[in-house]
Amino acid sequence: MKTLYFIRHAQSEANRQDILASRQDFPLTEQGGAEAKAIASEFRQIAELDRVICSPLLRAQQTAAPIAEAFGLDVETDERITEQELGVFSGMTYAELDERPDYMHDRTQRWEWIPEGGGESYEMIAQRLEPFFQTLETLEGDNILFVTHAVTLRMIKATLEQTLPDYPQEIAKNGEVWKIN
């Protein structure tokens, strides 16, 4: 039986600056780097890992690196667990978004909302995750950690709990870990 761990990346510069990062590459802050090392140390005490797989975005890779190193593993990437593409809203501060009537401020209404400029709806993320979930059982390794992002984790949780198109309104905190047996 597999044990899967899902984690949201540690604090990034976008988090610190209240920026909607989307798929833009923001590095971890100094605090985020320390969080990633602490997570690695804690994991080493409580779990075994066979694989560390993360989003290709820098903040996820920088979170995954010390964890993988603690277990003598390589970091693998999987595009399917990257963050939501937010089109024209990518890189805006939350204060700037407050001024945008074309941004979907109501989190409960984002299932079909496609952000202008090549964005992804929550439904599109769930569809992107379908092949990811289909391959989980066939992945080698019994203990696998996935490092991903807030909105993607929201869709992962809803998929695992079989609630789609309803999804959690709360988002995972930076560095929050979910264990699935």
Side-chain angles (χ1 to χ4, degrees):
M1 179 154 151
K2 289 188 185 297
T3 301
L4 306 176
Y5 300 92
F6 293 92
I7 183 173
R8 181 181 177 197
H9 62 80
Q11 184 190 61
S12 71
E13 282 295 334
N15 299 133
R16 189 179 64 74
Q17 297 175 42
D18 286 330
I19 293 173
L20 195 61
S22 181
R23 291 195 185 167
Q24 294 184 355
D25 256 340
F26 285 89
L28 294 183
T29 61
E30 188 174 320
Q31 176 184 327
E35 289 169 355
K37 288 177 184 170
I39 293 163
S41 177
E42 183 178 316
F43 252 98
R44 196 71 189 118
Q45 304 286 329
I46 63 168
E48 288 296 321
L49 289 179
D50 301 311
R51 296 177 79 175
V52 176
I53 302 172
C54 75
S55 155
L57 296 177
L58 181 61
R59 56 196 181 270
Q61 290 185 37
Q62 288 178 330
T63 301
I67 300 168
E69 184 179 327
F71 288 89
L73 301 170
D74 293 326
V75 174
E76 304 170 54
T77 58
D78 189 327
E79 180 70 34
R80 298 173 298 184
I81 60 172
T82 196
E83 185 57 299
Q84 178 185 25
E85 173 55 61
L86 283 159
V88 298
F89 305 107
S90 298
M92 288 187 178
T93 65
Y94 287 98
E96 290 170 326
L97 290 172
D98 286 344
E99 305 299 318
R100 297 290 301 254
D102 54 339
Y103 181 73
M104 179 54 68
H105 297 277
D106 183 350
R107 287 186 178 164
T108 67
Q109 300 299 311
R110 294 183 182 165
W111 180 249
E112 293 179 334
W113 173 68
I114 301 173
E116 182 183 328
E120 252 182 325
S121 68
Y122 280 17
E123 182 177 25
M124 293 164 77
I125 297 167
Q127 290 169 351
R128 166 169 45 93
L129 288 169
E130 282 178 18
F132 167 78
F133 282 108
Q134 291 169 359
T135 62
L136 284 181
E137 279 302 312
T138 60
L139 280 178
E140 287 186 27
D142 292 329
N143 303 290
I144 306 170
L145 172 73
F146 299 93
V147 183
T148 185
H149 307 272
V151 174
T152 304
L153 270 174
R154 185 179 278 166
M155 294 302 103
I156 287 170
K157 186 173 187 179
T159 300
L160 291 170
E161 293 176 348
Q162 300 178 347
T163 63
L164 290 173
D166 295 321
Y167 46 86
Q169 296 309 301
E170 73 282 349
I171 60 170
K173 295 174 180 63
N174 291 112
E176 185 174 330
V177 179
W178 297 342
K179 179 181 177 181
I180 311 295
N181 288 72

